[in-house]
Amino acid sequence: MTDVTNGEYDAFLDALAEGEGYYLTCENEHGLLPPRRACPHCGDRELAERDLPPSGEIVTHTTVFVPTPQFEDDAPYVTAVVDFAGVRLTGVVRGIDQAAVEIGDRVTATVESNETTDEQTIVFRPAE
């Protein structure tokens, strides 16, 4: 089996940043976020690309006060898991007061730089 490269993940981030986010699905309709070479649920290797819905719903979140070194200058920040019609992404919430973030909030996904290392990170902003 070939290893997944950072290039594949970077390509996913680039597409998300351009408003062209996508996910993969197998023949059994398991939704998968890239990069994947096979479905972790059923092992299917015949994966098709589908458009990521324009917005999703926060299903869980937490405020990080003691970050890893790569997010040191970003803290405190809210990390959330967002459901996009059956596929989930984890990222940082921006544009919503940290105390006001709630389960059920509708957000969009994009890619922005983090303050500490200037690396690309998945960011959720309020859906309009």
Side-chain angles (χ1 to χ4, degrees):
M1 183 166 102
T2 306
D3 291 330
V4 173
T5 67
N6 283 343
E8 292 168 347
Y9 184 69
D10 289 344
F12 167 73
L13 290 180
D14 290 344
L16 190 60
E18 294 170 12
E20 299 174 0
Y22 60 90
Y23 67 99
L24 302 176
T25 186
C26 68
E27 292 177 353
N28 294 308
E29 297 298 318
H30 297 130
L32 316 167
L33 282 171
R36 302 271 189 198
R37 296 211 186 268
C39 177
H41 305 286
C42 66
D44 188 0
R45 292 182 170 273
E46 297 298 320
L47 305 178
E49 192 174 295
R50 301 248 172 98
D51 292 339
L52 189 70
S55 67
E57 183 176 303
I58 294 176
V59 294
T60 189
H61 63 88
T62 190
T63 302
V64 177
F65 292 97
V66 181
T68 63
Q70 78 183 77
F71 286 96
E72 186 174 11
D73 295 338
D74 296 82
Y77 59 91
V78 176
T79 295
V81 176
V82 177
D83 185 277
F84 288 87
V87 293
R88 292 183 173 189
L89 272 175
T90 301
V92 176
V93 178
R94 293 184 180 161
I96 303 173
D97 182 80
Q98 291 178 358
V101 175
E102 295 183 4
I103 292 173
D105 285 349
R106 301 285 308 169
V107 294
T108 60
T110 189
V111 176
E112 298 176 9
S113 297
N114 72 28
E115 293 180 28
T116 306
T117 62
D118 202 35
E119 290 181 12
Q120 290 185 317
T121 190
I122 295 172
V123 172
F124 302 120
R125 294 202 166 265
E128 297 180 12

